[in-house]
Amino acid sequence: MLYPACVIMPEGVEMLRRVCNSLCGDQGIEVDSGEAARIARHAIKLYANGLADESELLQAMKNWLRGRTNPLLRRPGSTSHASASVGVWSSPSDGR
């Protein structure tokens, strides 16, 4: 997916953090895992392509995750697990 270069303002970063934290919580994914980083990258791509409404982005991400967890919808050669661990969604208020 191609997406234009964009600047994400602090309120956009906070919204993306809320969406990703919500998805990770719903799915039981650790926020500092490789899978959480993958979720964050996809959310940023959608946001950069104009999907900036929080509820719409959350729904689009849920649909994307549903497709990733359904083996019938997964692309050949794709995996749902990452090998690297990256902490991406902590904020100063989280105490991390």
Side-chain angles (χ1 to χ4, degrees):
M1 172 189 307
L2 297 177
Y3 54 94
C6 74
V7 174
I8 302 176
M9 302 304 289
E11 56 274 5
V13 172
E14 284 302 310
M15 186 269 291
L16 286 163
R17 186 175 71 84
R18 285 191 303 272
V19 167
C20 290
N21 284 344
S22 175
L23 289 167
C24 287
D26 290 349
Q27 300 292 316
I29 298 169
E30 295 291 327
V31 295
D32 61 350
S33 68
E35 186 64 16
R38 189 173 317 213
I39 288 169
R41 283 192 301 270
H42 191 70
I44 291 168
K45 287 178 185 178
L46 293 178
Y47 183 88
N49 277 300
L51 192 53
D53 178 79
E54 187 167 349
S55 61
E56 290 178 1
L57 179 59
L58 183 58
Q59 188 59 51
M61 291 297 297
K62 286 179 179 179
N63 291 340
W64 176 74
L65 277 174
R66 195 172 302 120
R68 290 176 49 81
T69 58
N70 182 340
L72 298 175
L73 300 175
R74 206 176 298 147
R75 284 183 288 182
S78 70
T79 177
S80 63
H81 301 289
S83 59
S85 178
V86 180
V88 293
W89 293 110
S90 60
S91 71
S93 64
D94 290 340
R96 292 202 222 172

